[in-house]
Amino acid sequence: MNIFIHELKAYRKSTFVWTISLIAVVVLFMSMFPSISKEIVEFTKLLEGFPEPVRKALGLEIESFGSILGFYSYMFLYLTLCGAIQAMHIGTSIVSKEVRDKTADFLLTKPISRTTILTAKLWAALTTLVITNVVFFIGASIMVAQVSTESYSVKSFLMISMTLFFTQLIFLSLGIVVSIIFPKIKSVLTVSLGTVFTFFIIGLLVSTTDDDIKRYLTPFKYFDSAYIIENSSYEISFMLTGVGIIVISLIASFIIYTKKDI
């Protein structure tokens, strides 16, 4: 329990910064919606001037861009990018910092198992992400309600917003397994940004094609907002893939961490 509380305190400042940043992005983008919705005809003509592959890569759906959920979906691509960086950074640093800060010897000589240590750190990271998402969802709900000029599906809005948390869980688990396999990470930020942006760029390239198989290559494409709005559900195959990545990464993390010579 002391490890759990210690990790929460250690990440409270970054949690606050990331949460405020995500809300700021929502406020910035959604404050543009009233003006865009009023001039949607002219704006649509402008978007049609972009090549279709560019529109797909940027997440621009002309048919739904003038609706509140369509515009929110477009903005959510960049919110997910920010959230993924936060989760990857936490996952990569929460274990590797013990080696980097030379506190691993002190921690591992305590009368607690490595499984307990890793579990406490994992729960702390998960709690941090939950706090971020709860506060973000409240802020996003208020902002969307303020600028909306039409009724919208609250269920679809909630489901789209939840994809941020799901994506963060994937990157958190990837970050943890990377930090355990390569504990002597000199720059956590470099590894986090490099990994996330690599997957993000792959997602942009995949968006220019209609090949669903390639979507499995990047977590950024596991949740299609257009599909969610139309069907009020997630795509099961991609959900299972995401869950599989999380489970395999965490199992591998516990196995390697309990046997690794720190």
Side-chain angles (χ1 to χ4, degrees):
M1 181 59 72
N2 289 335
I3 297 175
F4 172 76
I5 295 175
H6 173 78
E7 295 297 345
L8 281 184
K9 289 181 178 179
Y11 286 96
R12 65 179 183 273
K13 183 177 179 180
S14 64
T15 302
F16 174 79
V17 172
W18 277 109
T19 304
I20 295 300
S21 299
L22 291 175
I23 294 176
V25 172
V26 174
V27 172
L28 175 63
F29 273 88
M30 298 310 298
S31 61
M32 303 176 188
F33 178 74
S35 299
I36 292 176
S37 62
K38 290 179 182 179
E39 305 293 337
I40 190 59
V41 176
E42 290 77 8
F43 205 80
T44 298
K45 293 179 180 178
L46 176 64
L47 294 179
E48 289 175 345
F50 290 92
E52 185 176 358
V54 175
R55 294 201 305 266
K56 288 183 176 180
L58 297 177
L60 293 170
E61 296 287 343
I62 294 180
E63 296 79 8
S64 61
F65 195 75
S67 66
I68 187 69
L69 288 183
F71 188 79
Y72 183 71
S73 299
Y74 159 70
M75 172 208 66
F76 211 79
L77 173 65
Y78 305 99
L79 273 172
T80 305
L81 173 62
C82 295
I85 294 173
Q86 177 197 14
M88 187 72 191
H89 185 270
I90 294 174
T92 307
S93 65
I94 201 164
V95 176
S96 64
K97 69 178 181 179
E98 304 297 345
V99 175
R100 190 172 57 255
D101 297 340
K102 304 184 187 306
T103 57
D105 291 343
F106 172 78
L107 180 62
L108 295 178
T109 54
K110 296 296 180 182
I112 50 177
S113 66
R114 292 190 183 190
T115 300
T116 301
I117 293 173
L118 188 56
T119 300
K121 286 177 174 289
L122 180 61
W123 275 115
L126 182 62
T127 302
T128 295
L129 295 183
V130 169
I131 293 172
T132 297
N133 278 268
V134 169
V135 177
F136 160 75
F137 179 72
I138 293 173
S141 300
I142 294 173
M143 191 62 195
V144 169
Q146 289 294 319
V147 302
S148 178
T149 57
E150 59 186 19
S151 60
Y152 60 91
S153 172
V154 177
K155 179 181 178 181
S156 295
F157 171 75
L158 174 61
M159 293 184 70
I160 294 172
S161 300
M162 283 294 294
T163 63
L164 172 63
F165 181 62
F166 295 148
T167 304
Q168 284 184 313
L169 289 181
I170 295 174
F171 280 100
L172 173 67
S173 61
L174 289 176
I176 290 176
V177 73
V178 167
S179 69
I180 291 176
I181 295 175
F182 307 103
K184 297 182 180 180
I185 298 176
K186 294 182 179 180
S187 177
V188 172
L189 185 59
T190 301
V191 174
S192 301
L193 290 177
T195 304
V196 173
F197 274 107
T198 297
F199 280 115
F200 186 74
I201 292 173
I202 292 174
L204 295 181
L205 296 176
V206 169
S207 297
T208 62
T209 69
D210 295 321
D211 189 351
D212 282 346
I213 301 299
K214 294 180 181 178
R215 290 175 56 194
Y216 289 99
L217 296 175
T218 171
F220 285 106
K221 305 307 296 180
Y222 288 177
F223 304 99
D224 185 358
S225 296
Y227 181 91
I228 295 173
I229 294 173
E230 182 178 351
N231 300 280
S232 295
S233 65
Y234 300 122
E235 295 171 272
I236 301 300
S237 60
F238 290 101
M239 277 289 293
L240 293 177
T241 302
V243 172
I245 291 174
I246 295 171
V247 172
I248 293 173
S249 296
L250 292 181
I251 291 176
S253 298
F254 275 95
I255 293 175
I256 297 172
Y257 188 71
T258 54
K259 298 181 179 181
K260 192 175 182 66
D261 183 5
I262 304 297

